[in-house]
Amino acid sequence: TAWEQATPEMRRGQDIEHPVTISLEEAFRGTTRLLTYEDGRRIEASIPPGVKTGSKVRLSGQGGGGTGDLYLTITVQSHPTFEREGDDLHVNQSVDFFTALLGGEVNVSTIDKTVKLTIPPETDSGKTFRLKGLGIPKLSSPKKRGDLYVRVQVQVPKNLSAEQKKKFLELKESLQ
């Protein structure tokens, strides 16, 4: 659970907006923030799974004077691995040359677990696979999730020996 010190400006009977920044993982599972008012009053605000940048979380009766509402305006930080589009996530996945050529399985990290993805033979770099239901929970119905799109990035062998290069040249000539 992440905590944040905040001081929403308090006005009698007024609605208050307060910005809150969360991580993509917090947007995935939901989180809480501890908010402290200027008068020392503290509340724990729940932020539901599935929120995105621009979402507003309404806390009824927590605004100015205890009669207005407090609106948390959410910003979700960018993530080093995943790109988010709505409830869908996109990720690049390195696949070795031989698996891309001959087929096989690779482990793909999702936001909450690791799954096996079957790579068909002769898969090109840039091909995208859709893994249904492995994205972000939908704000309106958190039991449903968006999808995860996995873009294959084929890694070619490096530092080949002279003998290995010769075998690849022989293979190349046999395919022409």
Side-chain angles (χ1 to χ4, degrees), residues 127-141:
K127 176 152 178 66
T128 300
F129 294 91
R130 176 177 158 227
L131 302 181
K132 192 171 168 63
L134 293 179
I136 297 288
K138 296 184 180 291
L139 187 57
S140 57
S141 58

Side-chain angles (χ1 to χ4, degrees), residues 99-119:
T99 301
L101 181 64
L102 303 172
E105 288 185 339
V106 294
N107 289 327
V108 176
S109 293
T110 72
I111 196 160
D112 63 334
K113 59 185 173 183
T114 300
V115 297
K116 290 201 179 296
L117 172 63
T118 300
I119 304 294

Side-chain angles (χ1 to χ4, degrees), residues 40-41 44 64 72 83 89 114-116 125 138 147 156 162:
R41 183 171 56 110
E44 187 173 346
L72 303 180
E83 296 170 34
L89 293 174
T114 300
V115 297
K116 290 201 179 296
S125 196
K138 296 184 180 291
D147 300 327
V156 296

Side-chain angles (χ1 to χ4, degrees), residues 26-176:
E26 289 174 316
F28 172 77
R29 68 179 179 275
T31 190
T32 59
R33 288 291 189 270
L34 184 63
L35 304 175
T36 303
Y37 288 86
E38 290 172 351
D39 65 1
R41 183 171 56 110
R42 299 171 74 153
I43 61 166
E44 187 173 346
S46 291
I47 299 170
V51 294
K52 56 186 166 233
T53 295
S55 292
K56 290 191 179 200
V57 176
R58 179 177 172 242
L59 302 172
S60 182
Q62 297 298 325
T67 57
D69 295 334
L70 173 61
Y71 290 91
L72 303 180
T73 306
I74 306 298
T75 299
V76 180
Q77 296 170 324
S78 61
H79 194 276
T81 305
F82 299 101
E83 296 170 34
R84 182 176 180 180
E85 278 184 26
D87 297 325
D88 295 331
L89 293 174
H90 296 259
V91 67
N92 292 323
Q93 177 66 48
S94 294
V95 174
D96 72 79
F97 172 79
F98 300 101
T99 301
L101 181 64
L102 303 172
E105 288 185 339
V106 294
N107 289 327
V108 176
S109 293
T110 72
I111 196 160
D112 63 334
K113 59 185 173 183
T114 300
V115 297
K116 290 201 179 296
L117 172 63
T118 300
I119 304 294
E122 301 175 12
T123 295
D124 289 325
S125 196
K127 176 152 178 66
T128 300
F129 294 91
R130 176 177 158 227
L131 302 181
K132 192 171 168 63
L134 293 179
I136 297 288
K138 296 184 180 291
L139 187 57
S140 57
S141 58
K143 297 221 183 280
K144 295 181 181 176
R145 288 171 59 177
D147 300 327
L148 175 66
Y149 291 88
V150 181
R151 283 183 298 266
V152 169
Q153 294 186 326
V154 177
Q155 304 299 307
V156 296
K158 305 278 191 253
N159 304 316
L160 295 174
S161 68
E163 182 64 26
Q164 290 168 326
K165 285 181 183 178
K166 181 180 173 195
K167 288 183 179 183
F168 272 109
L169 281 171
E170 290 171 5
L171 178 61
K172 177 183 174 184
E173 290 170 4
S174 74
L175 294 173
Q176 294 177 343

